[in-house]
Amino acid sequence: AQSVTQLGSHVSVSEGALVLLRCNYSSSVPPYLFWYVQYPNQGLQLLLKYTTGATLVKGINGFEAEFKKSETSFHLTKPSAHMSDAAEYFCAVHSGGGADGLTFGKGTHLIIQP
Amino acid sequence: ETGVTQTPRHLVMGMTNKKSLKCEQHLGHNAMYWYKQSAKKPLELMFVYSLEERVENNSVPSRFSPECPNSSHLFLHLHTLQPEDSALYLCASSQDPGTGGREQYFGPGTRLTVT
């Protein structure tokens, strides 16, 4: 079985400050890892994904994440927060074992202070 | 239309009603999914269809009945729902994971309220 833990249901940062959203996973096989963002009244939009290869993954809107196997982590970062980054962020894992769905964390609500 | 579309966007129904949610994907994918998003709970996978065959049913109550007539369309038929079924229902699609590229693309969701 696989699971995802996102530390902190709410994270507040000042505009221009570093954004760090934490994600730890458990998986019995090498995982595929994803970050999604959800704006109010919308579906989920893919920010970035890790499959194989380079462990530092760059995504849209200036976000990036680093896969650390030894720490079973896939934290999301952005050097400088913008007001438009305020949203709900979800980390997800896929075991790659055939046609099955993603396992999501509970989400982190990112608040940007002006 | 592009991406994944869902209709209706909002639905209010009584517990004795029968309604259907519709999802359509315009991405050429061959796997489709239904998820339930409730407040303060992680997204829950409900159903998976791959190549129009149901491959997963996560112990979903029988009052939810999926239908996948072709690789572009997915329905969720609802009947005799309970108030706790009120949630955002999200549809997603992907390439068959067996061919690589396991990211899923989501529709905007249907906000369901059961009264």
Side-chain angles (χ1 to χ4, degrees):
Chain A
Q2 53 198 17
S3 65
V4 176
T5 301
Q6 291 183 241
L7 290 177
S9 60
H10 292 79
V11 170
S12 180
V13 302
S14 299
E15 189 174 18
L18 172 71
V19 175
L20 171 60
L21 304 182
R22 299 178 185 274
C23 173
N24 289 87
Y25 69 92
S26 68
S27 176
S28 58
V29 297
Y32 297 85
L33 295 160
F34 306 85
W35 275 100
Y36 284 86
V37 60
Q38 186 178 32
Y39 298 101
N41 300 313
Q42 295 187 26
L44 277 67
Q45 179 183 6
L46 180 67
L47 275 177
L48 49 78
K49 67 174 182 178
Y50 169 79
T51 53
T52 58
T55 56
L56 183 61
V57 180
K58 295 186 183 300
I60 62 171
N61 301 338
F63 284 93
E64 61 183 36
E66 186 172 11
F67 170 61
K68 292 187 176 180
K69 184 177 179 180
S70 61
E71 299 178 7
T72 60
S73 69
F74 191 57
H75 302 331
L76 182 71
T77 60
K78 182 174 181 177
S80 178
H82 192 274
M83 295 300 291
S84 61
D85 294 327
E88 192 84 14
Y89 291 80
F90 295 92
C91 182
V93 62
H94 188 288
S95 67
D100 53 2
L102 298 170
T103 299
F104 285 88
K106 291 186 176 182
T108 297
H109 184 62
L110 178 62
I111 301 162
I112 311 297
Q113 303 282 3
Chain B
E1 293 277 14
T2 59
V4 181
T5 58
Q6 291 187 243
T7 55
R9 293 294 308 275
H10 300 272
L11 178 63
V12 179
M13 60 185 290
M15 290 190 286
T16 58
N17 291 159
K18 291 184 180 181
K19 296 286 183 183
S20 297
L21 310 184
K22 179 183 176 182
C23 175
E24 184 173 1
Q25 60 95 1
H26 309 268
L27 300 168
H29 291 162
N30 50 26
M32 297 187 75
Y33 311 79
W34 280 116
Y35 288 88
K36 176 183 179 183
Q37 186 177 30
S38 305
K40 303 188 186 302
K41 293 178 68 175
L43 278 83
E44 302 171 67
L45 177 66
M46 301 177 71
F47 299 103
V48 181
Y49 277 83
S50 179
L51 300 173
E52 301 160 36
E53 297 288 327
R54 188 192 304 182
V55 296
E56 187 164 338
N57 172 356
N58 277 2
S59 302
V60 178
S62 60
R63 57 186 182 269
F64 296 92
S65 175
E67 178 189 3
C68 187
N70 55 62
S71 61
S72 298
H73 294 86
L74 184 65
F75 295 89
L76 187 63
H77 304 299
L78 315 171
H79 65 97
T80 60
L81 294 190
Q82 304 299 310
E84 60 264 31
D85 297 322
S86 298
L88 182 68
Y89 289 84
L90 292 164
C91 174
S93 71
S94 73
Q95 291 288 2
D96 181 355
T99 62
R102 291 163 172 75
E103 66 268 30
Q104 295 177 13
Y105 294 84
F106 286 78
T110 295
R111 175 69 63 186
L112 173 66
T113 303
V114 181
T115 60

